[in-house]
Amino acid sequence: MEFRTLRVERRPDRTVVRLDRPEKRNAIDQAMVDELHAVCETLERDPAPMLLTGGDDGVFAAGADIAQLRERTSADALRGINSGLFARIRALPLPTVAAVDGPALGGGAELAYGCDIRVCSSRSFFGQPEARLGILAGAGATWRLPALVGESLAKELLFTGRRLPAEEALRAGLVSAVVEPGELLSHAHGLIDDIVKASPTALRLTKLAVDAPAGAHPHVELAAQALLFDSRDKRDRMTAFLERRDR
């Protein structure tokens, strides 16, 4: 499809998605939601790691489009417009990396939380200002953020709208690395370079095991490992490892 709010580049071993509404600071509107669903459909059909980032202007995403949000009704809230999208991103078969440069606010922060790994630039910050706008962070922050940074800090951010700067986000475990803006994409691509060295099937099953609901462990791991132990890929990779070691 032709994208209006995204720039999408499909490489042989990954898909790079850039949010591209610079005039609205990459605010997430219905068109962007629809286009991200289209990207998800492609990655579900033909799995590849995804790198998600903002534009070239030092903005990841300044939240949901407030003009659209103001007109939404209770029926829209119950549809889970953004939460459904972010859950779909979270469930993509192969790992996703959010490279955050500049602000990630409201729905923009929740979009980053939906990815498997987050890295950010030194000028980045995260925030949930929803309560100040008369709503709550209803696209994952009320439960993903406590899981990522702990209940106390998550509640502080959700209750006050305070912005969490990059270095504090790193200390809290929200991001795995903070780099300078000019190094952000190369760092994120380096992560994916390391990811794609692994078995695609092992990656898919590892992601399923990590994201399995409480109480499902160790059953998920046992079933996944059983599948992998009988795979040709496992035997080939282990044989190659032993042959290298014995040289």
Side-chain angles (χ1 to χ4, degrees):
M1 65 178 292
E2 182 177 344
F3 295 101
R4 295 189 295 110
T5 70
L6 307 174
R7 283 183 281 159
V8 179
E9 178 188 2
R10 185 66 190 253
R11 300 187 183 183
D13 62 352
R14 71 199 65 183
T15 292
V16 181
V17 179
R18 285 182 174 270
L19 309 181
D20 190 30
R21 292 188 76 207
E23 73 286 357
K24 297 292 185 179
R25 295 174 61 80
N26 290 339
I28 301 169
D29 67 349
Q30 186 63 57
M32 185 179 286
V33 168
D34 293 341
E35 292 179 6
L36 284 168
H37 272 298
V39 171
C40 288
E41 182 179 355
T42 298
L43 291 174
E44 290 159 354
R45 186 174 61 248
D46 186 11
M50 179 176 73
L51 171 57
L52 178 66
T53 191
D56 302 319
D57 54 355
V59 176
F60 181 71
D65 190 301
I66 300 299
Q68 287 189 5
L69 203 58
R70 184 184 61 181
E71 304 307 317
R72 287 182 180 167
T73 66
S74 57
D76 293 317
L78 292 172
R79 287 169 54 207
I81 295 170
N82 285 1
S83 62
L85 169 64
F86 302 161
R88 191 175 186 180
I89 289 171
R90 183 69 174 187
L92 285 172
L94 289 177
T96 55
V97 176
V100 177
D101 187 20
L105 298 173
E110 291 174 304
L111 173 59
Y113 306 158
C115 292
D116 295 305
I117 302 170
R118 286 155 299 283
V119 296
C120 74
S121 73
S122 56
R123 63 185 177 185
S124 297
F125 52 90
F126 300 81
Q128 303 297 157
E130 287 88 349
R132 296 187 179 188
L133 295 170
I135 59 173
L136 59 77
T142 59
W143 53 278
R144 283 202 180 99
L145 193 56
L148 290 167
V149 304
E151 181 180 322
S152 183
L153 178 57
K155 284 183 173 178
E156 178 199 337
L157 298 172
L158 291 164
F159 295 163
T160 68
R162 179 172 76 85
R163 295 177 173 184
L164 188 72
E167 289 296 336
E168 188 177 354
L170 178 63
R171 292 194 298 272
L174 182 59
V175 299
S176 64
V178 176
V179 299
E180 291 307 306
E183 302 170 4
L184 180 63
L185 286 182
S186 62
H187 182 86
H189 277 294
L191 280 174
I192 295 181
D193 289 342
D194 286 339
I195 287 169
V196 298
K197 294 174 184 176
S199 156
T201 305
L203 286 172
R204 292 184 71 164
L205 292 175
T206 298
K207 181 169 176 174
L208 285 173
V210 172
D211 291 341
H217 304 284
H219 310 294
V220 173
E221 288 94 332
L222 291 173
Q225 195 74 298
L227 289 171
L228 292 169
F229 268 25
D230 284 342
S231 70
R232 176 65 181 270
D233 191 34
K234 167 250 188 178
R235 179 167 291 277
D236 289 347
R237 286 171 177 268
M238 290 190 176
T239 298
F241 172 84
L242 293 171
E243 290 175 349
R244 288 194 302 271
R245 187 193 65 180
D246 292 340
R247 284 174 187 167

